[in-house]
Amino acid sequence: MNNVTINEIQRFSFDNSNVRGERVLLNDAYQEIIKRKDYPLALEKLLGEFVAAIALLRDIIKIDGVLSIQAKGNGFLSTLMTECDEQQNLRGIAQWDDSQEVPEVISLKEALKGGYLAITIQPRNGQRYQGVVEIIGDTLSECLEQYFSQSEQLPSRVWLAANGAQCGGLFLQRLPEEQAKEGDKDAWERLTHLASTVKEDELLSLETGELLHRLYHEEEVRLYDIKAMQFGCSCSRQRTLDAVMSLGTEEIRETLIEQGSVRVDCQFCAEKYEFTEDDLADLLGDQAKTH
C-alpha cells in the first residue's frame, strides 16, 4: 500500500455491543502538511500523530465548522496545531526552538513542559467551545484519553502512529449501556485488549478491513462508508487582510513606510500575501498614506 494514495477514514462497530470505532490512514495529505517546513523526522512523526488525531476527532464531533487540536508549552516545542473542517480539509503546523537538539523519540510532557492540550470546536454559526487538559502523559494518545474521560465521561482508547510517509490512527469508544443491542458486559475489555496488540507497521500499511480482521477475526464487525480526506488550508486574501487590519492603523502605516507594503506568509500552506498602500487606502483612508 505504500505506493498507493490513500487518505481516508472509516467508522466501524461491533454487533451486539455498545462499542464503536474509527480508523484513519493518510499518506499524501499528511505529506502535504509536513513538506511546508523543514521538520526533523521526530517532529514529522509527532505532527503526523496530531494529524491522525484531528481526523479521528472530526468524524466523532460532528459540526458545521472547524475542529482543532492545539498543544502549547514551555519546552523546546512551543506550539503544535492541527485543524479539520466539515469538508474534511486537514492542515497543521509545529513551531519549535531550532537551537535545541530534537530527540529521536519525543515525550510530549517533556517537549511541552508545563503545557496544555486544547480541543476547540468553532461552528460556522454558534458558540465556540474549548476543552483543555494539562499535558501529563508522554504521548498524544494518553492526553486524548484523558480529555475524553473528563469531557464526555465515555471510556475511549486511541492508538496513533506516523513515520514521515504515512500517519494513522485507531479509536475505540464505549457508548452508554442502553445503546448495546445485547448485554455483552465483557466487550469493552476484550476489544480494547485486542486493539492493544496492533503494531505500528499494521496501523500504517493495512487497509481497514484487513486490519480489523487481524485484530477481530472472531468478532462481528460492521464497516461503514469510507470518507475521503485531503490537505486544505482555510487561508484567503480576505481573511489575511482582516488579520492585517487588526494590527491597527499606526503599525500598518509604519510597516508601509519601512517595507513599502505589508507582507504575510501563511504558516500552514506557505501562501504569500502582499498588501500595498493602494490596497489599504480604502480601509484606512488618509492614515494609510506614507507620503
Side-chain angles (χ1 to χ4, degrees), residues 201-253:
D201 63 329
E202 294 175 325
L203 202 55
L204 295 176
S205 63
L206 299 180
E207 293 183 348
T208 300
E210 184 179 357
L211 175 67
L212 295 179
H213 178 72
R214 287 197 185 188
L215 295 174
Y216 300 119
H217 56 274
E218 294 184 357
E219 305 288 339
E220 296 181 35
V221 184
R222 187 180 302 272
L223 287 167
Y224 299 91
D225 292 342
I226 293 173
K227 295 181 182 179
M229 310 198 80
Q230 61 281 323
F231 168 77
C233 191
S234 60
C235 75
S236 67
R237 185 171 178 82
Q238 184 58 52
R239 291 187 66 178
T240 307
L241 178 58
D242 292 342
V244 169
M245 294 303 297
S246 69
L247 297 174
T249 56
E250 188 61 32
E251 185 173 344
I252 292 172
R253 188 173 185 278

Side-chain angles (χ1 to χ4, degrees), residues 20-224:
R20 68 175 179 180
E22 291 185 327
R23 193 289 178 93
V24 64
L25 182 59
L26 309 165
N27 51 28
D28 67 331
Y30 162 48
Q31 292 166 29
E32 283 291 325
I33 292 172
I34 62 175
K35 78 177 186 181
R36 308 287 162 170
K37 294 182 71 173
D38 187 17
Y39 292 110
L41 179 58
L43 278 181
E44 287 184 351
K45 292 179 178 179
L46 183 58
L47 184 53
E49 291 186 12
F50 271 74
V51 172
I54 194 63
L56 290 170
L57 265 64
R58 184 64 186 80
D59 206 51
I60 299 165
I61 304 171
K62 299 185 179 302
I63 58 162
D64 182 15
V66 178
L67 181 71
S68 66
I69 302 175
Q70 184 176 30
K72 295 182 73 70
N74 302 304
F76 75 85
L77 183 61
S78 58
T79 303
L80 203 155
M81 181 179 183
T82 52
E83 290 184 348
C84 187
D85 64 18
E86 69 276 14
Q87 296 177 330
Q88 313 299 325
N89 292 312
L90 298 158
R91 68 176 191 168
I93 190 172
Q95 296 176 327
W96 76 102
D97 181 356
D98 57 11
S99 69
Q100 297 188 44
E101 184 177 353
V102 177
E104 292 184 6
V105 178
I106 296 176
S107 160
L108 208 60
K109 182 169 56 177
E110 290 299 315
L112 293 155
K113 290 181 180 178
Y116 65 88
L117 187 78
I119 297 177
T120 305
I121 302 169
Q122 182 62 70
R124 298 295 178 194
N125 299 296
Q127 188 173 359
R128 178 175 177 268
Y129 169 80
Q130 186 175 74
V132 179
V133 293
E134 181 183 358
I135 295 176
I136 58 175
D138 290 322
T139 67
L140 177 58
S141 294
E142 292 175 274
C143 294
L144 291 175
E145 289 169 4
Q146 180 191 4
Y147 167 80
F148 277 104
S149 175
Q150 290 182 7
S151 65
E152 296 196 13
Q153 283 99 43
L154 293 174
S156 305
R157 293 293 310 277
V158 186
W159 294 265
L160 300 168
N163 61 9
Q166 291 91 224
C167 67
L170 181 66
F171 175 85
L172 291 181
Q173 187 171 67
R174 186 174 68 186
L175 300 174
E177 291 294 340
E178 58 268 18
Q179 296 193 32
K181 294 180 180 178
E182 294 179 10
D184 186 350
K185 295 183 179 180
D186 299 326
W188 176 248
E189 287 74 17
R190 183 177 71 253
L191 297 173
T192 53
H193 173 73
L194 291 170
S196 296
T197 67
V198 69
K199 298 179 175 61
E200 181 175 306
D201 63 329
E202 294 175 325
L203 202 55
L204 295 176
S205 63
L206 299 180
E207 293 183 348
T208 300
E210 184 179 357
L211 175 67
L212 295 179
H213 178 72
R214 287 197 185 188
L215 295 174
Y216 300 119
H217 56 274
E218 294 184 357
E219 305 288 339
E220 296 181 35
V221 184
R222 187 180 302 272
L223 287 167
Y224 299 91

